[in-house]
Amino acid sequence: MAYQPIDNYAIIGDMHSAALVNLNGSIDWLCLPRFDSPSVFARMLDDQKGGFFQISPVEEANTNHRQNYWPDTNVLVTRFLLPLAAAELVDFMPVGDGSHYKSSHRQVIRKVTAVRGSIDLHMSCHPAFNFSRDTHTVEIQDAGAVFRSEGIGLALVSSVPLAVEGGAVTANFTLNAGESATFILREFVDEADIPHRMSDVDCEASFRATVEYWRNWLSQSTYRGRWREIVDRSALALKLMTYAPTGAIVAAPTTSLPEEIGGERNWDYRYTWLRDSAFTVFSLARLGFMDECVAFAEFLQNVAQHPNDDGSLQIMYGIDGRSNLEEETLDHLDGYMGSRPVRTGNGAYNQLQLDIYGELMDALFLLNREIKPIGFDGWKTVVKLVDFVIDHWQEPDEGIWETRGGRKHFVYSKVMCWVAIDRGLKIAADRSLPCDFLKWTETRDAIYNEVMEKGWDEKRGLFLQSYGSDAIDASNLMMIITGFLSPSEERTDRFLDAVMKSPSEGGLVANSLVYRYNHEHTSDGLQGTEGTFNLCTFWLVNALARAGWHNEERRDQARLIFERMLGFANHVGLYAEETGPSGQGLGNFPQAFTHLGLITAAINLQRALDGDS
């Protein structure tokens, strides 16, 4: 099968792992038992060797496909529409206390039903364990089939007869209107874990429990704004990307989906970035999901209490908190549409990125003020973080974009060091907590003055990517969002105008979409280019919305860009990391950062439009 567009996929999951399901009914990505485990299906990274689990009509050429989520849930519905027949495929990973199939073992339930006429269907389940590196055996049993490999076993329980074809099992079956076939794919560790044949009643109970779980969870949202449907979908996607045992959130559930087709900008995002987790606390708090905020914050605090020997924190960790994320290339895989290398692990884990302290402190400030006041141990952690920033803010670092072209004095990093100290001071003031107030204040003010002197290009009217560079960088829009810049000051206005110019004019905006930076003026240590960065587009909306409290034209610009950006979501409201020149999704999918940016942009724009500052 030819590679499918990245944004032709939808996601299902159970807060431990996630599967990507294509419009054609094929699961082309699944890692078990966790997000960061080796894959069992990875056709997205190699359409010949990667493995897949597909249910589709035999007459595929005459089939139209439709896909949507069951309302207010992460239960996926794929419809196959033929001239004389139609079928509906429901996919989910069970969650909820009432689920008959709730288990410590991960599982996917797939139920296909003939809705109209008589339809011939084909099922093929072809795992390729450990990124297609491990061999496996296949055995047909009474309840279905069992796949055994060195590291993990899979059982496929089926309501229709199965046949073995090489390393796969297949089934050809016909359903008449009202008839169904059900398949349950479940991991197992030993033979006692292999499930038995299911009943339709049990399967229906699991479906209902899962629907109820998602609806109950979403009902906690306090958002009632203009864009409720897409905000709710973003919240549901973020919840899916949460690892329940620790509260960590993965940047995306995939690895090595390219930022440029055929290029080398392919990274493993199945880990938790402190930056992403901090923004998650902020975004979900604004929606009223306080339990998730507390869980994320506790994960962040736990990580912060165990720094490196020099007092620093890593920029990312494993979803279980582990620190070693050594990068490896899988040269036996072709990569998505030939985009190589395919990577597992992430070599940026030991980079120095000073901005993470600002994002982390911003989240802790919000937690302390609105959700859960920081205790004595938490305050000791805050003091350590702020003191580290004070000792190191003058050093160069690799920056937010994890460039591999050497350390620089990135303006965004300096600004977020200012945020870290500023939020520490605010927590201290809120709670009358002890700190070296004079030292903290003097350092915060020194950072502010240095950024205004060395980071500002008066002639061009913009903030530079790094001291002494010629590049403009979208991350500096956060200066407006964090309060470093006043939304009504002249520099803000000039900087926004500079960003909104086209790349050919020295700006970053094309068709209302925003690039991270201009590759011609930035040495990031990598070959090739990339698409526009979806998060940066939402950052621009946020910045314009804040400026729009005092400027109606900025408010109108923010709404136009935001609503145009909504049109680049895929058919089920999900975003990849980037948008390509033809409007296609690029990069890992779906991307948490993008959906976090959407939520905050929707909230801030709503406030600007309503006159609520």
Side-chain angles (χ1 to χ4, degrees):
M1 182 192 79
Y3 289 99
Q4 300 295 301
I6 291 172
D7 44 14
N8 265 18
Y9 288 88
I11 183 175
I12 60 173
D14 60 1
M15 286 80 72
H16 288 80
S17 185
L20 296 189
V21 187
N22 195 270
L23 270 166
N24 62 12
S26 181
I27 295 178
D28 292 343
W29 179 258
L30 176 63
C31 297
L32 292 175
R34 308 190 326 182
F35 293 107
D36 56 355
S37 298
S39 67
V40 294
F41 303 127
R43 183 152 64 172
M44 296 184 79
L45 297 181
D46 193 309
D47 65 346
Q48 299 299 314
K49 302 188 292 287
F52 62 93
F53 180 12
Q54 184 165 2
I55 301 171
S56 59
V58 173
E59 294 184 41
E60 186 66 26
N62 296 322
T63 303
N64 289 319
H65 303 86
R66 299 287 186 272
Q67 202 169 57
N68 62 274
Y69 283 106
W70 202 273
D72 298 335
T73 78
N74 281 313
V75 174
L76 185 67
V77 180
T78 305
R79 292 186 171 90
F80 308 117
L81 307 176
L82 287 81
L84 299 176
E88 180 178 275
L89 173 64
V90 174
D91 286 320
F92 63 98
M93 296 179 73
V95 292
D97 292 337
S99 172
H100 180 80
Y101 292 103
K102 187 179 181 184
S103 167
S104 59
H105 301 292
R106 315 276 57 89
Q107 51 199 327
V108 177
I109 295 182
R110 317 195 74 187
K111 181 179 181 180
V112 59
T113 303
V115 177
R116 175 174 62 91
S118 178
I119 185 168
D120 296 324
L121 294 154
H122 176 75
M123 186 283 300
S124 180
C125 182
H126 197 313
F129 294 95
N130 190 15
F131 296 104
S132 305
R133 291 181 291 190
D134 292 353
T135 60
H136 66 270
T137 61
V138 187
E139 177 188 349
I140 299 295
Q141 297 186 350
D142 290 342
V146 174
F147 304 90
R148 295 182 178 88
S149 73
E150 180 179 346
I152 188 175
L154 288 179
L156 177 63
V157 179
S158 171
S159 62
V160 300
L162 302 177
V164 176
E165 292 187 11
V169 296
T170 63
N172 291 294
F173 54 101
T174 300
L175 297 177
N176 297 312
E179 295 178 342
S180 300
T182 305
F183 304 88
I184 297 179
L185 184 72
R186 175 178 165 182
E187 59 150 339
F188 68 88
V189 177
D190 54 49
E191 300 301 307
D193 294 326
I194 298 175
H196 301 291
R197 190 178 301 277
M198 88 298 287
S199 71
D200 291 340
V201 172
D202 291 337
C203 186
E204 180 67 15
S206 189
F207 165 77
R208 290 179 180 272
T210 301
V211 167
E212 181 181 14
Y213 172 87
W214 289 117
R215 286 181 172 169
N216 288 342
W217 181 81
L218 189 61
S219 68
Q220 300 172 65
S221 175
T222 57
Y223 180 78
R224 299 294 183 270
R226 292 170 171 83
W227 304 284
R228 184 173 176 181
E229 183 175 355
I230 193 68
V231 168
D232 284 352
R233 179 49 52 197
S234 291
L236 285 163
L238 290 173
K239 180 65 171 174
L240 269 186
M241 289 184 271
T242 303
Y243 183 58
T246 63
I249 184 169
V250 294
T254 57
T255 179
S256 301
L257 295 182
E259 298 172 14
E260 177 189 28
I261 302 300
E264 67 172 343
R265 298 170 183 266
N266 321 315
W267 315 109
D268 192 346
Y269 276 14
R270 299 171 302 147
Y271 309 110
T272 184
W273 272 248
L274 291 189
R275 182 184 303 114
D276 295 34
S277 295
F279 281 131
T280 299
V281 172
F282 189 88
S283 297
L284 293 188
R286 291 290 177 245
L287 297 181
F289 295 107
M290 298 309 177
D291 289 344
E292 282 69 25
C293 292
V294 171
F296 292 151
E298 288 177 349
F299 176 80
L300 292 174
Q301 287 183 1
N302 182 61
V303 167
Q305 288 170 0
H306 300 88
N308 298 322
D309 292 340
D310 63 356
S312 66
L313 299 177
Q314 291 185 187
I315 67 168
M316 70 181 89
Y317 293 84
I319 53 177
D320 56 359
R322 76 185 189 281
S323 57
N324 186 358
L325 306 177
E326 187 173 349
E327 190 169 291
E328 175 187 8
T329 61
L330 305 180
D331 295 331
H332 65 289
L333 296 178
D334 289 341
Y336 179 84
M337 296 184 67
S339 303
R340 303 177 73 181
V342 173
R343 294 179 169 96
T344 63
N346 196 308
Y349 77 95
N350 57 5
Q351 285 188 352
L352 176 65
Q353 294 181 22
L354 292 171
D355 69 281
I356 65 172
Y357 300 93
E359 289 124 4
L360 179 57
M361 287 299 301
D362 209 14
L364 295 178
F365 165 67
L366 177 70
L367 179 77
N368 175 75
R369 178 168 285 187
E370 299 188 14
I371 304 171
K372 184 181 179 182
I374 290 175
F376 175 70
D377 290 336
W379 178 244
K380 288 197 301 182
T381 299
V382 167
V383 171
K384 288 180 181 178
L385 293 175
V386 173
D387 285 343
F388 178 86
V389 170
I390 288 173
D391 291 340
H392 295 275
W393 73 270
Q394 293 176 303
E395 298 177 10
D397 70 346
E398 275 90 1
I400 183 176
W401 304 130
E402 297 168 11
T403 58
R404 302 194 178 191
R407 294 182 177 181
K408 301 176 184 177
H409 289 283
F410 287 101
V411 170
Y412 176 75
S413 296
K414 307 298 184 188
V415 169
M416 296 311 290
C417 286
W418 177 91
V419 171
I421 302 172
D422 179 73
R423 300 317 189 251
L425 285 165
K426 283 182 167 63
I427 296 172
D430 282 352
R431 301 281 308 288
S432 299
L433 295 170
C435 70
D436 192 337
F437 183 83
L438 181 60
K439 180 180 179 182
W440 288 17
T441 302
E442 288 178 344
T443 307
R444 180 195 62 182
D445 296 348
I447 297 172
Y448 180 88
N449 290 327
E450 181 178 293
V451 169
M452 288 301 191
E453 178 185 350
K454 296 183 179 181
W456 174 252
D457 184 330
E458 175 62 26
K459 182 178 180 180
R460 296 163 65 195
L462 55 85
F463 285 95
L464 300 166
Q465 183 182 60
S466 60
Y467 294 167
S469 74
D470 295 326
I472 184 172
D473 194 306
S475 65
N476 289 334
L477 290 166
M478 286 293 290
M479 300 169 78
I480 307 167
I481 299 168
T482 60
F484 185 91
L485 283 177
S486 164
S488 59
E489 69 176 281
E490 181 184 359
R491 285 193 175 190
T492 295
D493 210 42
R494 294 182 66 191
F495 181 46
L496 286 171
D497 286 339
V499 169
M500 293 177 66
K501 291 178 180 179
S502 69
S504 63
E505 298 172 318
L508 296 173
V509 177
N511 189 31
S512 294
L513 305 179
V514 182
Y515 289 93
R516 292 191 290 183
Y517 47 79
N518 190 321
H519 286 271
E520 294 180 1
H521 298 118
T522 300
S523 176
D524 59 14
L526 298 166
Q527 300 295 317
T529 60
E530 61 184 12
T532 56
F533 206 77
N534 294 330
L535 172 65
C536 294
T537 302
F538 289 124
W539 275 350
L540 178 58
V541 173
N542 269 304
L544 288 169
R546 288 182 178 267
W549 293 341
H550 311 280
N551 185 322
E552 185 176 353
E553 181 183 357
R554 293 299 191 198
R555 189 165 64 243
D556 292 342
Q557 290 172 332
R559 183 166 188 173
L560 175 64
I561 293 172
F562 181 74
E563 292 183 337
R564 291 195 70 177
M565 184 61 186
L566 297 184
F568 287 94
N570 80 345
H571 59 289
V572 288
L574 300 176
Y575 290 89
E577 183 176 32
E578 300 182 4
T579 299
S582 300
Q584 76 275 32
L586 292 174
N588 285 306
F589 177 88
Q591 211 229 13
F593 228 174
T594 300
H595 289 279
L596 293 168
L598 185 154
I599 290 170
T600 55
I603 292 170
N604 285 328
L605 181 55
Q606 180 78 33
R607 289 176 172 173
L609 293 171
D610 292 346
D612 175 14
S613 62

